[in-house]
Amino acid sequence: MKKNALIVCAFMAGLFSSCSNDVNEDFQEQGVTANQEVTTRYFNVIDENEVSDNQLFDDAVMGISGKADAKQIEQLNASFKESYDKLENSKTTRDIVPAIYKTVHVTYQTLDEANKPVMASALIVYPLFKKIKNVMLINHGTQIGAMMIPSNYTSVEAVMAATGSLCILPDYIGLGSTASHPDLYLNSEVHGRTSVDALLTLLDYAKQKNLSLDSNYKTYILGYSQGGAVSLASLRRVQQLDAYTQRSLHLQKVYCGDGPYDLRLTFETYLSDLEKGKDLALASVIPTVINSMFNSYPEELKGIKYEDFFTPWALKTGVPQAIRQNKENIADMMLKWSGASLDKILNFDYLNANPEHLDRLLKMMDRQNLCKGWKPQYRLKLLHSNPDGVVPFANFEEAYANLRNGYMDQPTVITPITSNALLQHIGGMLVMINEVFKEI
């Protein structure tokens, strides 16, 4: 395995025990018989390919080679060296052997924000001629150009598949096969359901294809950045399923890294940072989140214009409009808005004149709060960089304080080894991979 390949794999993905005894008891109480079948879910295979181990890793590198800044990759190589050396010496990595892998693109049925059926897309990556010990539902971040469609590339999946895992990468609604659908970016309720539907459907696929799935396989859900929020939402969604279906998942543990679990809190932290003179590390987050709220709650935000939230300067760049139309990739937007402060993007004159409009928007953000109204019933591991220049650390503090119970593992607070705000956020991804490797 190539060191640089894994380092770049971690960069690409960054921009994202036993099952509950209570569930097993519920399973018995509900009188579900052991031979009960989960309803078969509809999927359609778009294409499938067999690739070598070198191809799998090289494709991951090539997927970003034309998109990332060479200096950034050089910085990341240095930043990840210590963590990588630990990973390289771990037992799990020594188990990696040359193999042939299969990648399969599928579409499957799920529901959108209006509870209407849509055919979303996903990618499966798994080893051939090797026992599949684990199922990994991997939720990506989608804030860098080549990463806008998770099923278009492999990154951590290359590493996970090499250790004997079936990896599932769901595309979010608004991406992949649903590109014509309005983007829902941080609609955690919809994405959590989409992600779990992918898991259920592709477990059906694995059984129908008679894949070499160990009878005692374990399922893990993991995600970073946007994917961290989606993974927490996926756990909440799993717990809404009937007890038999929950048991059929073999869910072992959920890993959530640096996720924006509370959008209002994130937004308010940006406002506080503005008062302290701090600029945004990833300015494109602002219109992307606002757009997703307009797409998620068109009736609730009726009578308010999306464009009014932005300054003439921001509108002149075309970035808010491009996001609204789901056209331009984020890498280009980052260049246009490099070093932009919040007050250069948000039209505070409009917000001050129409406080009820901002209030309505924030109330929609509150509906996506993952930190309230439930508790984990499966093992949950939270990780967060402190400081994190993109997703404020306050998200972790709120999630840990409100969700903490006997199922939550001791969290990991990551101390970044860089002062670059964006790299503070990205750098925690490899730490999370290390945590997962310790488990599997």
Side-chain angles (χ1 to χ4, degrees):
M1 190 178 70
K2 300 175 182 178
K3 182 179 293 190
N4 286 342
L6 181 54
I7 291 172
V8 178
C9 287
F11 169 76
M12 291 173 66
L15 281 196
F16 52 14
S17 338
S18 61
C19 290
S20 162
N21 291 330
D22 293 344
V23 171
N24 292 335
E25 292 169 3
D26 291 343
F27 176 84
Q28 295 170 353
E29 290 172 2
Q30 292 185 18
V32 181
T33 60
N35 61 359
Q36 180 174 346
E37 295 292 333
V38 176
T39 303
T40 301
R41 291 163 177 84
Y42 177 76
F43 65 87
N44 181 42
V45 174
I46 304 302
D47 65 67
E48 48 187 318
N49 298 284
E50 292 184 9
V51 298
S52 69
D53 56 338
N54 284 337
Q55 283 177 293
L56 193 64
F57 287 103
D58 287 348
D59 287 349
V61 177
M62 293 305 294
I64 197 171
S65 61
K67 304 288 184 179
D69 181 89
K71 186 176 180 181
Q72 279 189 321
I73 293 180
E74 183 182 344
Q75 288 178 302
L76 284 163
N77 283 342
S79 298
F80 289 146
K81 184 179 185 305
E82 182 179 350
S83 294
Y84 178 83
D85 288 343
K86 293 177 183 177
L87 178 61
E88 192 174 41
N89 294 325
S90 71
K91 179 181 182 301
T92 301
T93 307
R94 290 199 300 273
D95 287 341
I96 295 176
V97 296
I100 301 296
Y101 303 91
K102 179 161 277 191
T103 62
V104 186
H105 279 92
V106 302
T107 56
Y108 65 99
Q109 187 168 317
T110 186
L111 300 174
D112 67 8
E113 77 287 352
N115 289 317
K116 294 181 179 178
V118 293
M119 293 300 293
S121 51
L123 177 71
I124 317 166
V125 183
Y126 63 91
L128 294 174
F129 317 118
K130 189 172 185 179
K131 199 74 170 179
I132 297 173
K133 301 179 296 182
N134 302 301
V135 174
M136 299 283 180
L137 176 60
I138 304 174
N139 297 302
H140 278 263
T142 57
Q143 270 286 315
I144 281 189
M147 302 179 61
M148 286 303 291
I149 305 175
S151 70
N152 273 2
Y153 66 94
T154 58
S155 53
V156 290
E157 298 73 42
V159 181
M160 297 299 181
T163 63
S165 297
L166 167 67
C167 302
I168 299 169
L169 295 75
D171 292 330
Y172 306 128
I173 291 180
L175 303 174
S177 64
T178 60
S180 61
H181 191 288
D183 180 46
L184 301 177
Y185 187 47
L186 285 178
N187 186 320
S188 59
E189 181 179 359
V190 172
H191 294 330
R193 180 172 61 212
T194 300
S195 183
V196 173
D197 284 348
L199 174 61
L200 290 165
T201 303
L202 298 176
L203 280 173
D204 278 355
Y205 167 90
K207 293 165 186 174
Q208 289 182 34
K209 294 292 184 178
N210 295 315
L211 301 189
S212 183
L213 193 61
D214 191 287
S215 59
N216 294 316
Y217 75 88
K218 297 174 181 177
T219 297
Y220 299 85
I221 301 175
L222 56 145
Y224 195 82
S225 191
Q226 177 191 10
V230 176
S231 294
L232 192 58
S234 298
L235 173 57
R236 185 175 65 179
R237 173 59 182 163
V238 166
Q239 295 179 187
Q240 295 168 350
L241 301 173
D242 66 85
Y244 174 78
T245 304
Q246 288 189 50
R247 186 175 180 180
S248 74
L249 295 176
H250 295 203
L251 182 57
Q252 179 82 0
K253 191 171 180 179
V254 179
Y255 293 84
C256 302
D258 290 52
Y261 313 119
D262 182 343
L263 296 184
R264 177 192 281 262
L265 178 62
T266 299
F267 188 83
E268 290 175 346
T269 303
Y270 289 158
L271 291 173
S272 176
D273 286 347
L274 174 65
E275 294 177 359
K276 299 173 185 176
K278 295 182 181 179
D279 291 339
L280 296 166
L282 195 60
S284 55
V285 166
I286 300 299
T288 309
V289 171
I290 292 175
N291 177 55
S292 70
M293 293 299 101
F294 272 83
N295 291 338
S296 299
Y297 304 108
E299 289 302 315
E300 289 85 344
L301 296 176
K302 198 171 184 178
I304 304 177
K305 287 182 62 179
Y306 162 83
E307 289 79 9
D308 287 344
F309 281 86
F310 305 103
T311 63
W313 175 87
L315 294 172
K316 187 176 181 179
T317 67
V319 172
Q321 301 93 318
I323 289 175
R324 187 74 175 139
Q325 296 166 15
N326 204 13
K327 285 185 176 181
E328 188 172 353
N329 74 46
I330 299 299
D332 294 336
M333 298 176 193
M334 290 171 65
L335 292 174
K336 290 182 179 180
W337 281 15
S338 177
S341 60
L342 188 63
D343 57 353
K344 195 171 184 179
I345 294 168
L346 281 181
N347 189 336
F348 281 94
D349 289 339
Y350 164 76
L351 297 179
N352 289 330
N354 300 277
E356 71 282 3
H357 291 183
L358 177 59
D359 184 58
R360 283 164 65 183
L361 180 69
L362 292 174
K363 285 179 178 177
M364 297 307 101
M365 292 184 184
D366 285 338
R367 293 192 184 185
Q368 297 301 326
N369 191 326
L370 289 165
C371 304
K372 298 178 180 178
W374 69 292
K375 295 279 188 180
Q377 295 174 9
Y378 296 86
R379 288 179 60 201
L380 171 63
K381 173 81 172 185
L382 296 178
L383 306 93
H384 214 104
S385 299
N386 185 23
D388 182 324
V390 176
V391 179
F393 187 71
N395 281 274
F396 162 80
E397 294 176 310
E398 182 180 358
Y400 184 59
N402 291 347
L403 301 180
R404 185 178 181 181
N405 65 6
Y407 291 104
M408 187 177 287
D409 285 7
Q410 182 67 27
T412 296
V413 176
I414 303 162
T415 302
I417 57 177
T418 174
S419 59
N420 181 286
L422 183 57
L423 295 184
Q424 287 172 352
H425 177 64
I426 298 171
M429 180 62 189
L430 192 59
V431 176
M432 191 180 79
I433 295 174
N434 271 314
E435 295 280 351
V436 176
F437 277 161
K438 291 176 186 176
E439 183 82 13
I440 65 175

PDB file of all heavy atoms in Angstrom, residues 3 5 13 16 93 98 129 185 245 247 258 271 293 349 368 401 410:
ATOM      1  N   LYS A   3       2.027   4.999   0.791  1.00  0.00           N
ATOM      2  CA  LYS A   3       1.812   5.974   1.861  1.00  0.00           C
ATOM      3  C   LYS A   3       1.095   7.216   1.352  1.00  0.00           C
ATOM      4  O   LYS A   3       0.128   7.679   1.935  1.00  0.00           O
ATOM      5  CB  LYS A   3       3.147   6.347   2.495  1.00  0.00           C
ATOM      6  CG  LYS A   3       3.016   7.327   3.645  1.00  0.00           C
ATOM      7  CD  LYS A   3       4.349   7.659   4.260  1.00  0.00           C
ATOM      8  CE  LYS A   3       4.965   6.502   4.955  1.00  0.00           C
ATOM      9  NZ  LYS A   3       6.154   6.876   5.756  1.00  0.00           N
ATOM     10  N   ALA A   5      -0.813   7.591  -1.123  1.00  0.00           N
ATOM     11  CA  ALA A   5      -2.194   7.310  -1.516  1.00  0.00           C
ATOM     12  C   ALA A   5      -3.112   7.422  -0.319  1.00  0.00           C
ATOM     13  O   ALA A   5      -4.177   8.020  -0.379  1.00  0.00           O
ATOM     14  CB  ALA A   5      -2.298   5.922  -2.140  1.00  0.00           C
ATOM     15  N   ALA A  13     -11.532  12.408   1.984  1.00  0.00           N
ATOM     16  CA  ALA A  13     -12.704  12.069   2.784  1.00  0.00           C
ATOM     17  C   ALA A  13     -13.020  13.127   3.819  1.00  0.00           C
ATOM     18  O   ALA A  13     -14.138  13.214   4.295  1.00  0.00           O
ATOM     19  CB  ALA A  13     -12.484  10.729   3.468  1.00  0.00           C
ATOM     20  N   PHE A  16     -15.937  15.888   5.153  1.00  0.00           N
ATOM     21  CA  PHE A  16     -17.481  15.292   5.212  1.00  0.00           C
ATOM     22  C   PHE A  16     -18.176  15.541   6.175  1.00  0.00           C
ATOM     23  O   PHE A  16     -17.165  16.158   6.309  1.00  0.00           O
ATOM     24  CB  PHE A  16     -17.355  14.442   4.255  1.00  0.00           C
ATOM     25  CG  PHE A  16     -15.990  13.266   4.271  1.00  0.00           C
ATOM     26  CD1 PHE A  16     -15.737  13.294   4.900  1.00  0.00           C
ATOM     27  CD2 PHE A  16     -16.039  13.094   3.858  1.00  0.00           C
ATOM     28  CE1 PHE A  16     -14.741  12.511   4.537  1.00  0.00           C
ATOM     29  CE2 PHE A  16     -15.195  12.560   3.768  1.00  0.00           C
ATOM     30  CZ  PHE A  16     -14.620  12.482   4.327  1.00  0.00           C
ATOM     31  N   THR A  93      -3.502  -2.740   9.480  1.00  0.00           N
ATOM     32  CA  THR A  93      -2.838  -2.405   8.237  1.00  0.00           C
ATOM     33  C   THR A  93      -1.940  -3.541   7.773  1.00  0.00           C
ATOM     34  O   THR A  93      -1.822  -3.803   6.582  1.00  0.00           O
ATOM     35  CB  THR A  93      -2.027  -1.115   8.406  1.00  0.00           C
ATOM     36  OG1 THR A  93      -2.880  -0.106   8.923  1.00  0.00           O
ATOM     37  CG2 THR A  93      -1.454  -0.647   7.087  1.00  0.00           C
ATOM     38  N   PRO A  98      -2.526  -7.886  -1.207  1.00  0.00           N
ATOM     39  CA  PRO A  98      -2.976  -7.633  -2.577  1.00  0.00           C
ATOM     40  C   PRO A  98      -4.250  -8.415  -2.861  1.00  0.00           C
ATOM     41  O   PRO A  98      -4.390  -9.572  -2.468  1.00  0.00           O
ATOM     42  CB  PRO A  98      -1.805  -8.145  -3.420  1.00  0.00           C
ATOM     43  CG  PRO A  98      -0.615  -8.055  -2.516  1.00  0.00           C
ATOM     44  CD  PRO A  98      -1.146  -8.364  -1.149  1.00  0.00           C
ATOM     45  N   PHE A 129     -12.706 -12.632  -3.196  1.00  0.00           N
ATOM     46  CA  PHE A 129     -11.836 -13.722  -2.737  1.00  0.00           C
ATOM     47  C   PHE A 129     -11.298 -13.466  -1.337  1.00  0.00           C
ATOM     48  O   PHE A 129     -10.204 -13.885  -0.993  1.00  0.00           O
ATOM     49  CB  PHE A 129     -10.674 -13.936  -3.722  1.00  0.00           C
ATOM     50  CG  PHE A 129     -11.090 -13.895  -5.157  1.00  0.00           C
ATOM     51  CD1 PHE A 129     -10.596 -12.935  -6.022  1.00  0.00           C
ATOM     52  CD2 PHE A 129     -12.017 -14.814  -5.649  1.00  0.00           C
ATOM     53  CE1 PHE A 129     -10.992 -12.884  -7.350  1.00  0.00           C
ATOM     54  CE2 PHE A 129     -12.420 -14.775  -6.982  1.00  0.00           C
ATOM     55  CZ  PHE A 129     -11.902 -13.814  -7.829  1.00  0.00           C
ATOM     56  N   TYR A 185     -28.212  19.727   1.171  1.00  0.00           N
ATOM     57  CA  TYR A 185     -26.959  19.801   1.911  1.00  0.00           C
ATOM     58  C   TYR A 185     -27.018  19.340   3.376  1.00  0.00           C
ATOM     59  O   TYR A 185     -26.637  18.215   3.684  1.00  0.00           O
ATOM     60  CB  TYR A 185     -26.379  21.208   1.816  1.00  0.00           C
ATOM     61  CG  TYR A 185     -24.994  21.334   2.406  1.00  0.00           C
ATOM     62  CD1 TYR A 185     -24.016  20.411   2.097  1.00  0.00           C
ATOM     63  CD2 TYR A 185     -24.670  22.365   3.270  1.00  0.00           C
ATOM     64  CE1 TYR A 185     -22.742  20.501   2.627  1.00  0.00           C
ATOM     65  CE2 TYR A 185     -23.399  22.470   3.809  1.00  0.00           C
ATOM     66  CZ  TYR A 185     -22.447  21.537   3.490  1.00  0.00           C
ATOM     67  OH  TYR A 185     -21.192  21.640   4.025  1.00  0.00           O
ATOM     68  N   THR A 245     -35.748  -5.177  12.264  1.00  0.00           N
ATOM     69  CA  THR A 245     -34.896  -4.573  11.237  1.00  0.00           C
ATOM     70  C   THR A 245     -33.614  -4.044  11.862  1.00  0.00           C
ATOM     71  O   THR A 245     -32.522  -4.193  11.290  1.00  0.00           O
ATOM     72  CB  THR A 245     -35.644  -3.450  10.510  1.00  0.00           C
ATOM     73  OG1 THR A 245     -36.854  -3.965   9.961  1.00  0.00           O
ATOM     74  CG2 THR A 245     -34.796  -2.873   9.389  1.00  0.00           C
ATOM     75  N   ARG A 247     -32.079  -5.241  14.445  1.00  0.00           N
ATOM     76  CA  ARG A 247     -31.215  -6.376  14.744  1.00  0.00           C
ATOM     77  C   ARG A 247     -30.562  -6.921  13.475  1.00  0.00           C
ATOM     78  O   ARG A 247     -29.408  -7.347  13.495  1.00  0.00           O
ATOM     79  CB  ARG A 247     -32.017  -7.471  15.440  1.00  0.00           C
ATOM     80  CG  ARG A 247     -31.167  -8.623  15.909  1.00  0.00           C
ATOM     81  CD  ARG A 247     -31.975  -9.630  16.697  1.00  0.00           C
ATOM     82  NE  ARG A 247     -31.141 -10.729  17.144  1.00  0.00           N
ATOM     83  CZ  ARG A 247     -31.594 -11.749  17.848  1.00  0.00           C
ATOM     84  NH1 ARG A 247     -32.874 -11.804  18.181  1.00  0.00           N
ATOM     85  NH2 ARG A 247     -30.786 -12.724  18.231  1.00  0.00           N
ATOM     86  N   ASP A 258     -16.293  15.851  13.806  1.00  0.00           N
ATOM     87  CA  ASP A 258     -16.365  17.264  13.425  1.00  0.00           C
ATOM     88  C   ASP A 258     -17.632  17.613  12.641  1.00  0.00           C
ATOM     89  O   ASP A 258     -17.569  18.283  11.607  1.00  0.00           O
ATOM     90  CB  ASP A 258     -15.124  17.665  12.630  1.00  0.00           C
ATOM     91  CG  ASP A 258     -13.879  17.694  13.504  1.00  0.00           C
ATOM     92  OD1 ASP A 258     -13.623  16.694  14.193  1.00  0.00           O
ATOM     93  OD2 ASP A 258     -13.163  18.698  13.487  1.00  0.00           O
ATOM     94  N   LEU A 271     -21.233  34.387  13.686  1.00  0.00           N
ATOM     95  CA  LEU A 271     -21.508  35.785  14.013  1.00  0.00           C
ATOM     96  C   LEU A 271     -20.594  36.273  15.133  1.00  0.00           C
ATOM     97  O   LEU A 271     -20.060  37.390  15.086  1.00  0.00           O
ATOM     98  CB  LEU A 271     -22.970  35.942  14.430  1.00  0.00           C
ATOM     99  CG  LEU A 271     -24.032  35.766  13.337  1.00  0.00           C
ATOM    100  CD1 LEU A 271     -25.430  35.793  13.939  1.00  0.00           C
ATOM    101  CD2 LEU A 271     -23.889  36.852  12.269  1.00  0.00           C
ATOM    102  N   MET A 293     -31.948  25.098   3.382  1.00  0.00           N
ATOM    103  CA  MET A 293     -33.140  25.376   4.178  1.00  0.00           C
ATOM    104  C   MET A 293     -34.293  25.822   3.269  1.00  0.00           C
ATOM    105  O   MET A 293     -35.447  25.422   3.479  1.00  0.00           O
ATOM    106  CB  MET A 293     -32.843  26.457   5.224  1.00  0.00           C
ATOM    107  CG  MET A 293     -31.852  26.034   6.309  1.00  0.00           C
ATOM    108  SD  MET A 293     -32.388  24.607   7.316  1.00  0.00           S
ATOM    109  CE  MET A 293     -31.418  23.283   6.561  1.00  0.00           C
ATOM    110  N   ASP A 349     -27.681  44.749   6.388  1.00  0.00           N
ATOM    111  CA  ASP A 349     -28.683  45.812   6.285  1.00  0.00           C
ATOM    112  C   ASP A 349     -30.068  45.185   6.090  1.00  0.00           C
ATOM    113  O   ASP A 349     -31.051  45.609   6.727  1.00  0.00           O
ATOM    114  CB  ASP A 349     -28.365  46.740   5.108  1.00  0.00           C
ATOM    115  CG  ASP A 349     -27.146  47.609   5.374  1.00  0.00           C
ATOM    116  OD1 ASP A 349     -26.808  47.790   6.562  1.00  0.00           O
ATOM    117  OD2 ASP A 349     -26.543  48.089   4.395  1.00  0.00           O
ATOM    118  N   GLN A 368     -33.356  20.901  12.287  1.00  0.00           N
ATOM    119  CA  GLN A 368     -32.315  19.944  11.944  1.00  0.00           C
ATOM    120  C   GLN A 368     -31.347  19.685  13.103  1.00  0.00           C
ATOM    121  O   GLN A 368     -30.316  19.029  12.919  1.00  0.00           O
ATOM    122  CB  GLN A 368     -31.539  20.452  10.720  1.00  0.00           C
ATOM    123  CG  GLN A 368     -32.369  20.590   9.466  1.00  0.00           C
ATOM    124  CD  GLN A 368     -33.008  19.274   9.048  1.00  0.00           C
ATOM    125  OE1 GLN A 368     -32.438  18.208   9.226  1.00  0.00           O
ATOM    126  NE2 GLN A 368     -34.205  19.358   8.510  1.00  0.00           N
ATOM    127  N   ALA A 401     -22.922  16.970  25.631  1.00  0.00           N
ATOM    128  CA  ALA A 401     -23.682  17.299  26.844  1.00  0.00           C
ATOM    129  C   ALA A 401     -25.110  16.753  26.775  1.00  0.00           C
ATOM    130  O   ALA A 401     -25.633  16.227  27.771  1.00  0.00           O
ATOM    131  CB  ALA A 401     -23.706  18.814  27.042  1.00  0.00           C
ATOM    132  N   GLN A 410     -16.003   7.310  25.480  1.00  0.00           N
ATOM    133  CA  GLN A 410     -15.219   8.498  25.810  1.00  0.00           C
ATOM    134  C   GLN A 410     -14.864   9.219  24.511  1.00  0.00           C
ATOM    135  O   GLN A 410     -14.288   8.622  23.597  1.00  0.00           O
ATOM    136  CB  GLN A 410     -13.935   8.103  26.549  1.00  0.00           C
ATOM    137  CG  GLN A 410     -13.072   9.256  26.982  1.00  0.00           C
ATOM    138  CD  GLN A 410     -13.730  10.121  28.060  1.00  0.00           C
ATOM    139  OE1 GLN A 410     -14.561   9.639  28.822  1.00  0.00           O
ATOM    140  NE2 GLN A 410     -13.366  11.389  28.114  1.00  0.00           N
TER     141      GLN A 410
END
